[in-house]
Amino acid sequence: MAVATGLFLIDINTYCIRYILGARGDKMTRIDNKERMLKLMEILREQTDEENEYTLDDIAECFKKEYGPDVRLNKNSLRDDIEHLIEAKFDITVNQEKEGMPKYYSHQYRLFELYELRMLIDAVASARFITKDETKQLIRKIKKLTSMHHAKKLHNEILIDSSVKSESKMVRLAINDLHEAIFERRIVTFQYGRYNINKEFVLSHDGGEYKVKPLALTWVNDFYYLIAYYFSKEEIRHYRIDRLRNVRITEEQFPYEPFDVSKYVSSTFHMYAGSEEWIKIRFHNDLINVIIDKFGRDADIRKLNDEHFILTAKAIVSEGLVKWLLNWGNQAKVLSPPSLVDEVVYEIRNMMAVYENTGD
């Protein structure tokens, strides 16, 4: 009896040692209450949606994939966690088809709808001022704003063409600095330049600094522009942000002045600078939507006859306006001012001379 008792005690001790080792993680994994609830919230947010709902068994399986098959998990604890999350206003939809059937849980409310995320991805992919690497990084982040199942539907169908993407990673930093300068109403200085025929970036004004009062940022024709008051010329100009170098926010501030960005952009053509004047142009009726897109539904448009209408508007008269008008061929005719008529005629003659010349 003594020997048998001794063996029994040894077996009990061995079992206790094994249990203690298992409790420490050799065979079983314990999760504290806070970690379990946070992981539960993460599973619901990342893996469930209106089309993908999980039972408690499904959720437990997710825990096993994360912590191992021996994780200690109690379904009643999971139910309590779900109730606590609902009380804390974390969105959890509970579905049960019939009494006695398992309940299905899912996180369905999200800040962005799927179509909104698609628009954001398309905008990022199309933006020239964002580098190719930054584009891929931003798209990955946008996909994290929904469930992993919906993220698979957000495959970008727009080709990311590296030939039209910016190569400068400084653009995003310049944009951030300029936003701060506009918000704090601080004077900004920078250098500005362009590429020459040898594809070399050459600074304007021999590398001299531009001192401006930043008014607004706008995105036009796939490029970001800074609209600013240029002190040296005492006029409002715009600058392509990818052509800025050494942007510096000064300590000098300026008073608030209202500025209508949309009005400024609608009056410019291909973002060319020039003087603002009243223009009057006859257009063919086929171009009515083009004109409304450019000048808005409030534009002064009057019917001339069954085929034409006349637009009267204030616009920046520049080389950009002339080029824009020539896009429409004989469907557009400048009526005034006479100076703009002369510029269009001059450009048409130059174009004809190019094709009449037998040389290269």
Side-chain angles (χ1 to χ4, degrees):
M1 292 293 292
V3 174
T5 304
L7 289 172
F8 177 74
L9 291 173
I10 292 172
D11 288 341
I12 289 293
N13 290 337
T14 303
Y15 175 80
C16 290
I17 291 170
R18 286 178 178 174
Y19 178 80
I20 292 170
L21 289 174
R24 287 177 179 174
D26 289 3
K27 285 191 174 182
M28 295 183 183
T29 304
R30 291 181 179 273
I31 313 173
D32 65 39
N33 295 342
K34 292 181 180 178
E35 183 179 357
R36 186 184 64 240
M37 186 176 294
L38 289 173
K39 177 55 65 174
L40 171 62
M41 188 164 59
E42 180 184 307
I43 290 170
L44 291 171
R45 182 188 291 115
E46 294 183 358
Q47 301 187 36
T48 68
D49 49 53
E50 56 268 28
E51 298 168 1
N52 299 275
E53 301 172 302
Y54 280 3
T55 64
L56 289 178
D57 287 335
D58 296 328
I59 295 172
E61 191 62 32
C62 292
F63 273 89
K64 289 179 181 180
K65 289 180 181 179
E66 178 74 20
Y67 295 97
D70 297 316
V71 63
R72 293 176 62 85
L73 202 63
N74 186 294
K75 286 187 179 181
N76 289 328
S77 298
L78 285 178
R79 288 193 187 93
D80 291 341
D81 290 343
I82 290 172
E83 292 299 323
H84 288 316
L85 289 175
I86 292 174
E87 290 174 6
K89 307 302 181 183
F90 178 74
D91 172 71
I92 298 179
T93 300
V94 183
N95 285 330
Q96 187 177 28
E97 294 183 0
K98 294 181 180 179
E99 189 69 31
M101 296 289 287
K103 291 182 179 180
Y104 289 84
Y105 304 92
S106 61
H107 176 64
Q108 298 186 11
Y109 171 78
R110 284 177 171 83
L111 186 60
F112 293 96
E113 298 287 344
L114 201 59
Y115 77 92
E116 293 174 321
L117 295 178
R118 284 198 181 98
M119 288 193 295
L120 289 175
I121 288 176
D122 289 346
V124 168
S126 303
R128 289 173 176 260
F129 63 89
I130 305 176
T131 66
K132 190 173 182 179
D133 288 341
E134 288 171 345
T135 297
K136 293 178 179 179
Q137 183 180 352
L138 283 170
I139 289 175
R140 282 196 297 269
K141 290 180 179 180
I142 291 173
K143 287 182 177 181
K144 289 182 179 180
L145 296 173
T146 188
S147 71
M148 64 181 191
H149 305 286
H150 281 174
K152 293 176 181 178
K153 300 179 181 180
L154 292 173
H155 178 68
N156 176 43
E157 299 297 339
I158 294 181
L159 176 66
I160 304 175
D161 187 353
S162 58
S163 64
V164 300
K165 281 288 186 177
S166 170
E167 297 178 358
S168 174
K169 295 183 179 180
M170 302 302 293
V171 175
R172 61 179 179 180
L173 300 177
I175 291 172
N176 182 68
D177 289 344
L178 292 169
H179 272 299
E180 288 189 11
I182 292 169
F183 177 76
E184 296 176 1
R185 297 197 294 275
R186 294 187 183 276
I187 302 297
V188 170
T189 63
F190 54 80
Q191 293 173 299
Y192 195 71
R194 295 176 176 83
Y195 285 97
N196 63 16
I197 193 66
N198 298 317
K199 300 180 183 179
E200 300 167 334
F201 191 80
V202 180
L203 293 173
S204 303
H205 296 175
D206 295 323
E209 281 191 335
Y210 289 68
K211 183 179 180 181
V212 303
K213 178 168 59 178
L215 302 175
L217 295 179
T218 185
W219 186 3
V220 181
N221 299 329
D222 296 330
F223 290 105
Y224 244 129
Y225 289 86
L226 166 67
I227 303 174
Y229 178 83
Y230 183 37
F231 287 100
S232 293
K233 296 295 183 180
E234 298 183 345
E235 63 184 13
I236 294 176
R237 291 186 173 185
H238 50 263
Y239 306 88
R240 260 185 42 187
I241 292 181
D242 58 308
R243 293 176 177 171
L244 302 183
R245 297 293 184 271
N246 300 315
V247 178
R248 186 174 64 88
I249 304 175
T250 71
E251 295 299 319
E252 187 178 355
Q253 291 187 290
F254 58 89
Y256 169 76
E257 297 176 10
F259 180 73
D260 192 335
V261 181
S262 60
K263 182 180 178 181
Y264 179 85
V265 172
S266 66
S267 67
T268 61
F269 295 82
H270 302 301
M271 298 309 287
Y272 277 78
S275 58
E276 191 176 49
E277 297 183 44
W278 282 101
I279 62 172
K280 186 174 289 187
I281 304 170
R282 186 192 74 186
F283 289 101
H284 192 278
N285 288 343
D286 290 345
L287 296 179
I288 183 63
N289 287 285
V290 171
I291 301 307
I292 289 176
D293 287 344
K294 178 63 182 174
F295 293 91
R297 293 187 62 185
D298 294 332
D300 185 352
I301 297 172
R302 299 181 185 180
K303 181 178 178 180
L304 179 62
N305 51 46
D306 291 338
E307 294 186 347
H308 300 92
F309 64 90
I310 292 178
L311 166 74
T312 303
K314 220 172 186 183
I316 302 293
V317 177
S318 64
E319 183 183 347
L321 173 56
V322 174
K323 290 180 177 180
W324 183 79
L325 288 167
L326 292 177
N327 284 334
W328 314 120
N330 63 1
Q331 291 186 305
K333 179 182 179 180
V334 179
L335 303 179
S336 66
S339 59
L340 180 56
V341 175
D342 292 341
E343 287 186 46
V344 172
V345 171
Y346 178 75
E347 189 61 31
I348 291 173
R349 286 174 178 167
N350 285 340
M351 291 172 65
M352 290 177 61
V354 169
Y355 287 95
E356 289 172 352
N357 190 342
T358 57
D360 292 338

